[in-house]
Amino acid sequence: MNRRPRLLATAAVGAFAALLLTACGGSDGGSKGNDKIAGADTGGETSASPSASATAVADRPKVNLPSDVKDKYESWQTGDKAKDEILTDTASRIDATNAAILSGDTGAPGLAFYYRDKALSGAVQWVQAYVDANLSFTGTTRYYSPQVTLSGAKSASVVYCADESKGFNKNRKTNKVDKTPSDESPYVLYNTRLEKNTQGVWQATNLISKRGDKTCAG
């Protein structure tokens, strides 16, 4: 199965963490344009996503995604109010990033809303990489096995998995979908650092990812 092109995601992680790995969002140096991009943080109309936090003060940007792009969030609620607020904003960040990629808009309001500092610069580069490659994407990405760790009241980390096996590249101009088989793993492990701002929004400050991690396989 093909997956969204990793090539484009390399730009994002350089700014996100200045390290990295082979991953969607990770830099591997040998990526090809018809490999899948992760990330969407990956794409679409949300399915089974968590409800918005009742305590949030800020108005979340409205995100509209095309019907051919979907995000599925599995076990995305823990029953713990604080952790579920973090997961809600994490899912919204993923959707907002995908919306920006699909529209080719590096100035999409959702980016500055859910990212900050170097992570924001990386997200903008990520979107621009798709635009430069004349690519979009289609299909479904499944997000699962989230683990939230709080470090005080305003700092946290979220680790989660993504299954990109049902996502495909799409030419932005012709809308032609590329289903060329790929030998790369469709499973990606994400590790995100977040900070809660004065409006109560959990913003990503750092994001790294690793494709093919055994934690997510299966």
Side-chain angles (χ1 to χ4, degrees):
M1 297 183 181
N2 196 41
R3 289 168 295 284
R4 296 201 332 247
R6 218 171 16 136
L7 163 71
L8 306 182
T10 60
V13 177
F16 280 138
L19 354 143
L20 253 45
L21 317 169
T22 55
C24 79
S27 175
D28 65 355
S31 302
K32 298 180 180 179
N34 62 354
D35 294 335
K36 177 181 173 186
I37 283 189
D41 166 134
T42 287
E45 179 180 296
T46 57
S47 173
S49 59
S51 58
S53 167
T55 61
V57 176
D59 292 330
R60 269 59 180 166
K62 185 175 181 179
V63 176
N64 294 311
L65 300 164
S67 60
D68 67 319
V69 177
K70 299 181 185 298
D71 285 336
K72 289 187 176 181
Y73 296 94
E74 296 181 359
S75 301
W76 213 254
Q77 291 185 322
T78 67
D80 180 281
K81 183 178 179 181
K83 291 183 178 180
D84 287 346
E85 288 180 358
I86 294 169
L87 288 175
T88 294
D89 278 348
T90 296
S92 296
R93 173 186 58 77
I94 293 170
D95 295 338
T97 306
N98 290 333
I101 290 171
L102 293 166
S103 65
D105 183 6
T106 58
L111 297 183
F113 193 89
Y114 291 110
Y115 294 93
R116 59 191 272 190
D117 305 329
K118 290 183 178 180
L120 175 57
S121 299
V124 171
Q125 291 177 37
W126 193 338
V127 174
Q128 187 61 51
Y130 273 95
V131 174
D132 292 344
N134 194 33
L135 287 174
S136 181
F137 59 86
T138 186
T140 298
T141 303
R142 181 171 65 99
Y143 299 95
Y144 57 101
S145 299
Q147 298 181 24
V148 182
T149 302
L150 284 158
S151 301
K154 295 185 177 181
S155 181
S157 66
V158 178
V159 178
Y160 60 94
C161 293
D163 174 5
E164 303 179 337
S165 61
K166 296 182 179 179
F168 305 94
N169 289 347
K170 184 167 70 171
N171 184 284
R172 192 176 294 277
K173 292 182 178 180
T174 67
N175 289 323
K176 182 179 179 181
V177 177
D178 181 5
K179 293 189 176 183
T180 305
S182 171
D183 59 359
E184 294 180 344
S185 172
Y187 302 108
V188 183
L189 178 68
Y190 286 91
N191 192 332
T192 311
R193 292 292 303 173
L194 304 98
E195 300 289 337
K196 190 175 185 179
N197 69 11
T198 56
Q199 292 181 300
V201 180
W202 286 94
Q203 296 178 303
T205 60
N206 192 42
L207 186 155
I208 63 176
S209 58
K210 184 179 179 182
R211 184 176 295 280
D213 192 283
K214 293 181 179 180
T215 303
C216 300

